[in-house]
Amino acid sequence: MIKDIVYQHKLEKENMISKEYVFREKLDFAKKFIDSDLIKIIIGPRRAGKSVAAFLLLKGKNFAYLNFDDENLLKVKNYDEIVKAVFEVYPENKYLFFDEIQNLKNWEIFVNKLKRRGYNLILTGSNAKLLSKELGTVLTGRYVPIEIFPFSFREFLSAKGLEIKKEEINVPEIQGRILSYLDEYIRDGGFPEVVVKKLEARTYLETLSNSILFKDVVKRYNVRFSQKIYDLNNYLNSNFSSEFSFSKLRNILEFRSTVTLQNYLSYLEEAFLIFILNRFSFKVKEQIKTPKKVYLVDNGFCSHMSSRFSQDSGRTVENLVFVEILRRGYKPNRGIFFYKTRNNKEVDFLLKKGIKIEQLIQVCYRIEKIGTKERECRALIEACEDLGCNNLLVITWDREAEEII
């Protein structure tokens, strides 16, 4: 029986590797580790392209493939039988690729055993806990994380067939096409199937969101009050790029306790639906106690899962910039924060490496509105005085300039 399952997965693998895909920017980083003895963990939200990224990473390699989204495979109690069946079907394989490994009970012990036996392992997972509690306790220092989010704008343009040469970037026709695609990207987001297969974004994202909530949250954590977590997710989808406090959120959604609310928020974070950002302070206690901000993993959720009747372009673009900063390796509440000045002026993003504050960023969709530029720059300059950081950036729609103030 197990051997039959592995054969079925081999057919899936052959079908997958026969297709052409958009090259993912993270693969240049991942390729450095492909032949190392570190376990390669490709992690991110469902349907963001983790499996495809793994297939691209292993292109031209002799590898075995198992997908642990298959319920028949999860029924197997003796994991050595899985290994035996894999090597019956793939006797010469050099790499083991396990897809959605978090579905397998005690998967980290199984993986650690294979690691000790010297196998080269590539794993994908849709739960952020893979990189913390579950993985860190068993495989400390023996893995490399590779985060895959929905398409970046560069990947989005590649999927649309628009390859731009450096010398063409200032051609008005090219700029117009780029801005047209940027409008679409801001509205519909970058989930690969929406972009490549041109699926209707709203229907696709509603189905995906419900699937993630059921599979990766309600089912995984045995959530008793499932309607509450659906209500919480819907509320956050309509209030992205906004501040919230636990007490206010608890009262609005009528949670019985703050602890339950915090647990539910952590489940949504672990499923890569949301990210919670702290306000920066040199005192960690203040970071914990002050209100937070929430962002969504993809702008399609901002547009199509919100209950708002009109789109707030400023907040939508702010969400887009936040996710792009994540793609560039900054971690929430370690490398990226938001900031309030001594006079309560808000700076959208503070970037930090180690103890050094690297950059302060404001996001403003329309800088030409009366008073807007002055307001945004005043907040940055006041933050600059507070923090001693002179690297100040305003990200706006399509204007590029450098000014001394």
Side-chain angles (χ1 to χ4, degrees):
M1 175 190 165
I2 303 174
K3 186 177 177 182
D4 291 339
I5 296 170
V6 177
Y7 266 122
Q8 289 171 12
H9 291 192
K10 186 178 183 183
L11 292 175
E12 290 177 24
K13 165 198 163 183
E14 289 168 354
N15 179 51
M16 291 285 286
I17 62 178
S18 68
K19 299 175 181 177
E20 292 294 322
Y21 297 104
V22 174
F23 185 81
R24 304 307 299 267
E25 293 172 323
K26 275 285 186 177
L27 291 180
D28 286 332
F29 166 78
K31 284 180 177 178
K32 299 174 186 176
F33 301 95
I34 189 61
D35 290 317
S36 79
D37 62 353
L38 295 173
I39 299 173
K40 278 64 70 177
I41 310 279
I42 301 176
I43 195 164
R46 283 187 181 271
R47 314 310 298 169
K50 302 184 300 297
S51 303
V52 166
F55 283 124
L56 288 170
L57 182 63
L58 291 163
K59 192 172 183 178
K61 306 287 187 183
N62 185 1
F63 68 95
Y65 167 70
L66 282 182
N67 184 352
F68 287 93
D69 255 348
D70 187 331
E71 290 188 0
N72 290 320
L73 198 56
L74 301 180
K75 294 174 184 175
V76 179
K77 303 300 181 186
N78 184 349
Y79 295 166
D80 283 339
E81 292 297 317
I82 295 176
V83 177
K84 178 182 172 183
V86 164
F87 281 88
E88 277 190 84
V89 177
Y90 300 96
E92 302 296 328
N93 89 80
K94 303 293 183 184
Y95 306 84
L96 298 175
F97 169 22
F98 294 156
D99 210 359
E100 297 295 352
I101 188 66
Q102 80 280 348
N103 293 329
L104 187 69
K105 188 177 180 181
N106 296 323
W107 65 268
E108 62 271 33
I109 298 170
F110 173 56
V111 165
N112 196 29
K113 183 192 291 187
L114 294 174
K115 170 76 173 61
R116 291 198 305 270
R117 293 179 184 175
Y119 297 119
N120 192 322
L121 295 156
I122 297 89
L123 314 177
T124 74
S126 301
N127 190 288
K129 237 181 178 179
L130 282 169
L131 295 184
S132 55
K133 185 178 175 184
E134 291 176 355
L135 197 59
T137 53
V138 178
L139 299 171
T140 306
R142 287 177 284 179
Y143 67 93
V144 56
I146 302 154
E147 288 187 315
I148 295 289
F149 294 106
F151 283 155
S152 69
F153 186 52
R154 189 186 299 274
E155 292 165 341
F156 177 93
L157 291 178
S158 179
K160 293 291 185 180
L162 184 60
E163 300 291 342
I164 304 159
K165 297 177 183 176
K166 192 174 181 180
E167 59 270 20
E168 296 175 335
I169 197 68
N170 292 318
V171 176
E173 293 88 339
I174 297 291
Q175 289 184 339
R177 289 182 69 193
I178 292 171
L179 291 176
S180 175
Y181 279 135
L182 183 55
D183 257 333
E184 181 184 340
Y185 181 66
I186 289 171
R187 183 186 68 246
D188 293 339
F191 273 101
E193 288 177 306
V194 171
V195 180
V196 175
K197 297 181 180 179
K198 300 180 181 177
L199 301 178
E200 201 275 319
R202 180 179 295 276
T203 303
Y204 176 86
L205 292 168
E206 284 178 354
T207 304
L208 176 62
S209 178
N210 288 333
S211 174
I212 292 172
L213 283 171
F214 177 71
K215 278 187 173 183
D216 297 330
V217 179
V218 174
K219 191 176 177 183
R220 179 179 175 86
Y221 296 105
N222 297 313
V223 173
R224 291 175 57 201
F225 306 107
S226 58
Q227 187 57 50
K228 283 292 186 189
I229 205 155
Y230 278 85
D231 291 344
L232 175 60
N233 187 57
N234 289 337
Y235 179 86
L236 298 175
N237 280 333
S238 299
N239 291 276
F240 60 91
S241 307
S242 299
E243 281 190 64
F244 73 92
S245 68
F246 294 130
S247 58
K248 184 179 177 181
L249 200 52
R250 184 193 68 201
N251 292 333
I252 290 170
L253 297 174
E254 298 179 347
F255 273 80
R256 292 182 180 178
S257 75
T258 302
V259 172
T260 301
L261 170 64
Q262 289 175 314
N263 286 338
Y264 283 16
L265 285 167
S266 71
Y267 299 159
L268 295 178
E269 279 193 287
E270 286 163 15
F272 287 98
L273 282 171
I274 66 166
F275 298 91
I276 293 174
L277 194 63
N278 287 348
R279 181 195 296 182
F280 178 77
S281 170
F282 289 105
K283 299 176 181 177
V284 176
K285 188 177 179 180
E286 283 187 15
Q287 287 186 28
I288 295 169
K289 291 177 68 175
T290 52
K292 321 292 182 186
K293 290 185 79 170
V294 65
Y295 294 94
L296 309 183
V297 72
D298 183 74
N299 263 50
F301 290 131
C302 301
S303 303
H304 299 295
M305 298 297 292
S306 172
S307 60
R308 290 177 176 265
F309 293 102
S310 61
Q311 182 170 306
D312 184 333
S313 298
R315 292 196 306 118
T316 308
V317 174
E318 184 183 329
N319 194 89
L320 190 79
V321 171
F322 172 79
V323 178
E324 179 58 30
I325 292 170
L326 295 188
R327 284 194 190 91
R328 299 187 180 199
Y330 292 88
K331 304 298 181 188
N333 310 319
R334 282 189 285 164
I336 174 174
F337 301 82
F338 74 100
Y339 181 68
K340 290 285 185 74
T341 70
R342 60 188 182 276
N343 291 314
N344 210 37
K345 294 182 176 69
E346 183 172 319
V347 173
D348 294 323
F349 301 116
L350 177 154
L351 303 189
K352 180 174 168 284
K353 278 196 178 173
I355 60 171
K356 182 184 177 184
I357 296 172
E358 285 191 319
Q359 191 173 45
L360 301 171
I361 300 174
Q362 289 288 61
V363 180
C364 179
Y365 182 64
R366 292 293 186 193
I367 197 72
E368 69 274 7
K369 286 186 178 180
I370 295 173
T372 299
K373 179 181 172 185
E374 183 184 354
R375 182 184 69 244
E376 302 294 342
C377 291
R378 193 185 299 125
L380 279 175
I381 290 167
E382 195 166 290
C384 162
E385 292 168 351
D386 288 353
L387 302 166
C389 175
N390 294 322
N391 186 6
L392 313 178
L393 175 66
V394 178
I395 296 177
T396 185
W397 178 237
D398 67 342
R399 181 186 171 209
E400 187 172 357
E402 186 172 313
E403 296 183 10
I404 298 174
I405 299 175

